Amino acid sequence: MGFCLFNNVAIAARAAQAEGIERVLIFDWDVHHGNGTQHSFETDPNVFYVSAHQFPFYPGTGSFGEVGIGRGEGTTLNIPLPAGAGDTEYVGAVQRLVLPAARAFKPELILISAGFDAHRDDPLAEMNVSAEGYLAMAGAMRTAADELCGGRLAFILEGGYALSGLREGIEATLAATLAPIPPVAEAVGAPEGTTLRQVVDQVVAAHGSSIPDLGSS
Ligand SMILES: [Zn+2]
């Protein structure tokens, strides 16, 4: 329902499965909720879809309570973030939510819906992610891929409507991918009452105890 003719990451996941990969984790850091990707896999327990996105925002889906359907219940995880969220919220959400979910799911391949429209320069959305934030997120996902699935990781370019945001975000992502050792994100604190803490608590509440260590830093 967005600006794409084909859902590249969904096609990539199914193509990998056709080649013998069973379990695929998709992390979608594009600023929009990936409603098409979620819909493609919401009943499929072998594709874990996790999205961090501005909410409420176009296309309107991606609330905490959308956790998958039927056999796919529990393998959709939504992290809706309010306008104004930046590195603290995004990197914190990766550390506290995406990484525990990935460790529990044990993917054989990790795909990233790598839009850069949450960049602070983007004219479409209202988020504040910097180059350092993308470096930290990409580094964390590379570490996860190294730990969990032999380094099998692909970044698929999605949105991004400021040339400066695309340039900085892509450069940071490539730097994290190509560095001899993945960059480690600085500890991101989340005192009680902060936006991150509230979002983490609501995700944990939506998923209950089905994912060990969900919400812990
Ligand atoms: Zn987008």
Side-chain angles (χ1 to χ4, degrees), residues 30-32 117 159 161:
D30 188 280
V31 81
H32 300 95
D117 41 9
Y161 308 95

Side-chain angles (χ1 to χ4, degrees), residues 103-208:
R103 290 191 186 106
F105 181 67
K106 297 181 174 62
E108 300 167 69
L109 168 69
I110 296 175
L111 301 174
I112 310 294
S113 282
F116 295 96
D117 41 9
H119 188 277
R120 55 168 58 136
D121 293 350
D122 196 89
L124 225 62
E126 299 153 295
M127 300 309 223
N128 286 303
V129 179
S130 72
E132 290 71 31
Y134 286 115
L135 183 75
M137 287 200 289
M141 296 314 296
R142 184 183 149 196
T143 301
D146 287 349
E147 281 178 18
L148 300 171
C149 52
R152 284 194 289 268
L153 171 70
F155 295 86
I156 290 89
L157 183 62
E158 296 197 355
Y161 308 95
L163 289 177
S164 57
L166 279 172
R167 184 177 62 237
E168 287 184 15
I170 293 168
E171 185 177 33
T173 299
L174 291 176
T177 309
L178 299 173
I181 299 169
V184 177
E186 288 182 25
V188 179
E192 290 299 323
T194 63
T195 298
L196 175 60
R197 185 75 256 163
Q198 291 166 7
V199 168
V200 166
D201 286 348
Q202 291 195 73
V203 171
V204 171
H207 283 264

Side-chain angles (χ1 to χ4, degrees), residues 1 4-19 21-28 34-42 44 46-49 109-114 154-158:
M1 211 169 82
C4 43
L5 293 175
F6 299 103
N7 186 329
N8 294 317
V9 81
I11 293 168
R14 287 293 187 231
Q17 289 181 316
E19 295 290 327
I21 293 276
E22 188 179 350
R23 298 165 71 77
V24 181
L25 181 125
I26 299 170
F27 173 36
D28 181 345
N35 59 341
T37 310
Q38 175 173 299
H39 182 63
S40 297
F41 303 113
E42 62 194 350
D44 186 343
N46 289 318
V47 178
F48 196 114
Y49 177 67
L109 168 69
I110 296 175
L111 301 174
I112 310 294
S113 282
F155 295 86
I156 290 89
L157 183 62
E158 296 197 355

